[in-house]
Amino acid sequence: MHLSSVLDSGTPLSPMGIVDCIHPLFTGRITQIKHLVFPRESKLRTAIKCAFSHTTVSSSSAKAHSLEQEVVIALGSNVGDRIQNFNEALRLLKSSGIQITRHGCLYETEPAYVTDQPLFLNSAVRGTTELGPIELLQVLKQIEKQLGRTHGIRYGPRSIDLDILFYGRQKVDSEALTIPHDRLWERPFVLAPLIDLLGTSSTDDDIEAIWHSFSGCSGGLFELWRRFGWEKSIGREGLRRVLPIGDQLWDWSKRTHVMGVLNLTPDSFSDGGKFGDVDSAASRVLQLFSKGADIVDIGAQSTRPFACKLSAEEELQRLIPVLDAVVRIPEVEGKLLSVDTFHARVAAEAVKRGVHIVNDVSGGRLDPDILSVVGELGVPYIIMHMRGDPCTMQSEENLHYVDVCEEVASELCARVREAELSGIPLWRIMIDPGIGFAKKTEQNLEILTGLPFIKKEIAKRSMGASHTPLLVGPSRKRFLGEICGRADATERDPATCAAITAGILGGANIIRVHNVEDNLDAAKICDALLKRRRDCQASR
């Protein structure tokens, strides 16, 4: 099999592209890829062979810059406000005609080559563009200049660094540009976010099979990443996965984090009506933090089964006075607040008043505007799985699953993809399988015991999405009462501890609970067990 293509530098371009092509420095060529042979037993290798058998880039199609190409661009920054640099880079990429379709996770990394400089943030994005390779290069250089990058020492500090890792099915080799990036294979801080942009089911994506083949490794990019230690390399070797919340970079892998619940509704299934006035609500927030909560999630709309839906205006009438009171409490300063809402307007008002996270039980399905609004707000977004709405989620239709774990994973991935297309980077997304929402008792149990399987199913579609923080919220849910014979929700705390234990041991990073103190103890035991397991595995 052969892939042979030529980039004709005489192709009509924009004025900037014409200048580039006239100058001999920018005369590019697409190198030939010959005699690729892969063992038959590997699905990945078979997928790569199939991709090549259907992939031929002719000289005429190479000339047609109007054809969209799928590209991967790496981002790095270690000068100034690194997150803001990334935000601006994404905005300028989009305004330059690059449609971003996927994001890698965010990594804080130690500098390479020149080590006496600040820590870097690194990620990568996948998207489509009609720009030719040289035009794309020039756009990236212009964005770097706009964001304050100046000529300095090679591998030295920079406000933003943008590199083309892949450009369609093409290899480019010129004095100005090399694709794939020539040092990609030796840089874990580039390879980690690149892996996030892939799925493990490579047969579903021919372009991914091509990119795997570019590695020159029979096992593709995954084999290269395994040589760096795969997931074991995260958290060591100066490479940690982080999520920006407020003014901090949150590493959720160190321990389980606890989200305390505050319901301002009169009809919530557990504590409805207990915290309806401002003073009691503010006191409850303070109590939850004092008991050890890392985050307090405040909701003014009941999402229990068959609850009536409030308008955004009604929700705000309950929420805003409490938020205003809470943020004035000195002890709450520096603590993390979340708003439990599916209304875009409520999310915007809450963030304006100091909330750090938007927790949407519908994952953007009940108010589609919330996705673009959260994207503009620049805050983390929790995507929960639910079918229908609170009034309809327990209907026969919404409770029908053939394989609940596989379908929850698939539907969560669809919501994550929609969020990314709407402008929410993956590095601001958390996921929640929605225990108790459009699920029966048996299905809730399947999810709690099947969290590792759910993550594997997500990884088939998006490795990055499988690495996002995972939240579980079984606290005091009806299925616990059915199993334990506890009709009163407040009597289900021991059962909740057992449920969150299963969740944490299965891979949950955040637990959403009403009783913070007892569940925090359970989380600490789980963390100790997990650490012991890791230590034993490392010593073998």
Side-chain angles (χ1 to χ4, degrees):
M1 292 178 293
H2 306 277
L3 177 63
S4 180
S5 58
V6 178
L7 179 62
D8 187 340
S9 60
T11 301
L13 302 173
S14 66
M16 177 177 65
I18 292 173
V19 172
D20 299 338
C21 291
I22 290 174
H23 195 290
L25 178 64
F26 297 105
T27 301
R29 64 182 176 84
I30 302 301
T31 60
Q32 293 183 335
I33 304 173
K34 297 183 177 180
H35 308 300
L36 290 168
V37 181
F38 300 92
R40 293 181 180 178
E41 67 272 12
S42 166
K43 290 183 179 180
L44 173 59
R45 295 162 186 161
T46 302
I48 294 172
K49 290 178 70 176
C50 292
F52 270 90
S53 67
H54 297 291
T55 304
T56 302
V57 182
S58 67
S59 58
S60 60
S61 64
K63 291 179 181 179
H65 286 190
S66 61
L67 294 178
E68 279 194 337
Q69 297 285 348
E70 193 157 7
V71 298
V72 175
I73 299 169
L75 299 90
S77 174
N78 75 333
V79 172
D81 187 335
R82 299 172 297 172
I83 293 295
Q84 185 58 27
N85 292 341
F86 272 35
N87 291 341
E88 278 299 296
L90 294 184
R91 184 185 67 80
L92 292 170
L93 285 171
K94 294 172 188 176
S95 66
S96 301
I98 300 155
Q99 174 64 36
I100 296 174
T101 56
R102 291 195 192 184
H103 308 74
C105 296
L106 191 66
Y107 297 84
E108 187 172 53
T109 66
E110 292 182 358
Y113 311 118
V114 178
T115 58
D116 186 18
Q117 57 178 317
L119 296 176
F120 274 87
L121 284 184
N122 290 100
S123 191
V125 295
R126 182 170 169 176
T128 58
T129 183
E130 294 181 356
L131 296 170
I134 301 300
E135 288 179 304
L136 178 58
L137 174 64
Q138 290 302 302
V139 165
L140 300 188
K141 295 301 181 186
Q142 183 61 32
I143 291 174
E144 289 179 344
K145 184 177 180 180
Q146 285 182 253
L147 295 182
R149 182 171 179 181
T150 57
H151 295 292
I153 61 172
R154 194 179 187 193
Y155 307 126
R158 71 288 307 269
S159 55
I160 195 71
D161 188 22
L162 302 173
D163 289 315
I164 306 170
L165 302 184
F166 293 123
Y167 183 91
R169 292 167 165 79
Q170 301 178 16
K171 277 192 170 184
V172 177
D173 185 10
S174 74
E175 293 182 37
L177 181 62
T178 301
I179 302 175
H181 193 278
D182 57 351
R183 306 199 75 169
L184 162 62
W185 324 115
E186 66 184 54
R187 297 175 173 179
F189 59 88
V190 177
L191 199 53
L194 170 58
I195 293 295
D196 290 338
L197 301 175
L198 309 176
T200 57
S201 296
S202 299
T203 52
D204 296 335
D205 197 326
D206 286 347
I207 192 67
E208 288 189 14
I210 300 293
W211 294 343
H212 279 293
S213 75
F214 287 164
S215 70
C217 179
S218 60
L221 296 164
F222 292 146
E223 177 59 30
L224 287 179
W225 185 226
R226 285 189 184 95
R227 293 176 186 177
F228 281 110
W230 198 249
E231 274 299 289
K232 291 181 181 178
S233 66
I234 306 300
R236 67 181 191 188
E237 308 290 338
L239 182 70
R240 68 186 190 116
R241 197 176 282 130
V242 294
L243 185 147
I245 304 181
D247 59 357
Q248 62 180 286
L249 290 175
W250 182 45
D251 182 349
W252 63 92
S253 68
K254 300 301 183 184
R255 61 177 176 85
T256 302
H257 289 75
V258 179
M259 173 184 280
V261 179
L262 172 62
N263 291 312
L264 305 179
T265 55
D267 56 344
S268 289
F269 75 95
S270 174
D271 50 7
K274 291 181 67 175
F275 308 108
D277 66 274
V278 172
D279 289 342
S280 63
S283 177
R284 176 61 173 167
V285 170
L286 196 56
Q287 181 187 45
L288 290 169
F289 280 128
S290 70
K291 294 295 185 181
D294 299 289
I295 308 163
V296 171
D297 190 39
I298 305 175
Q301 172 132 217
S302 177
T303 53
R304 65 173 176 77
F306 312 111
C308 295
K309 181 179 177 181
L310 295 182
S311 67
E313 290 73 19
E314 292 172 308
E315 193 174 336
L316 285 169
Q317 287 176 5
R318 289 180 182 172
L319 178 66
I320 296 306
V322 172
L323 276 183
D324 287 344
V326 166
V327 297
R328 288 196 297 266
I329 301 174
E331 293 86 349
V332 174
E333 185 176 355
K335 304 291 187 181
L336 296 177
L337 297 173
S338 171
V339 62
D340 181 359
T341 187
F342 48 74
H343 282 302
R345 184 182 165 196
V346 174
E349 289 294 329
V351 171
K352 185 189 301 182
R353 284 169 164 79
V355 164
H356 307 91
I357 303 167
V358 175
N359 181 14
D360 181 359
V361 297
S362 79
R365 294 178 66 254
L366 296 182
D367 183 355
D369 289 340
I370 199 170
L371 297 178
S372 58
V373 167
V374 171
E376 293 171 1
L377 292 170
V379 296
Y381 182 58
I382 300 173
I383 294 176
M384 196 193 79
H385 176 271
M386 176 176 67
R387 290 177 172 178
D389 59 33
C391 274
T392 64
M393 65 183 181
Q394 298 303 110
S395 67
E396 184 176 350
E397 178 185 4
N398 286 328
L399 289 172
H400 176 71
Y401 298 89
V402 175
D403 183 328
V404 65
C405 289
E406 194 281 330
E407 289 171 64
V408 165
S410 175
E411 291 166 28
L412 272 174
C413 278
R415 300 317 307 156
V416 169
R417 186 69 183 274
E418 187 66 26
E420 288 192 86
L421 291 172
S422 300
I424 305 175
L426 187 68
W427 61 71
R428 293 192 188 277
I429 290 176
M430 310 179 210
I431 58 174
D432 176 353
I435 293 170
F437 289 80
K439 284 98 179 172
K440 296 184 289 189
T441 294
E442 296 79 5
Q443 294 161 344
N444 289 318
L445 295 175
E446 284 186 56
I447 288 172
L448 274 174
T449 57
L451 291 178
F453 177 79
I454 290 174
K455 294 185 79 168
K456 287 181 181 178
E457 285 297 305
I458 291 173
K460 290 180 180 179
R461 299 159 176 85
S462 167
M463 287 291 290
S466 74
H467 295 149
T468 58
L470 176 63
L471 183 151
V472 293
S475 184
R476 298 180 178 176
K477 293 286 173 70
R478 179 179 298 177
F479 80 100
L480 299 177
E482 291 177 359
I483 294 171
C484 299
R486 302 288 184 181
D488 186 342
T490 60
E491 296 179 355
R492 299 172 190 164
D493 286 341
T496 298
C497 288
I500 68 102
T501 295
I504 295 169
L505 296 180
N509 308 108
I510 311 163
I511 54 170
R512 184 179 183 275
V513 294
H514 298 82
N515 182 332
V516 167
E517 187 172 20
D518 290 348
N519 285 285
L520 176 58
D521 283 351
K524 288 178 179 178
I525 296 298
C526 290
D527 289 344
L529 290 170
L530 291 170
K531 183 179 184 301
R532 178 62 179 165
R533 180 196 296 174
R534 289 191 298 268
D535 291 344
C536 289
Q537 290 172 343
S539 64
R540 289 173 185 169

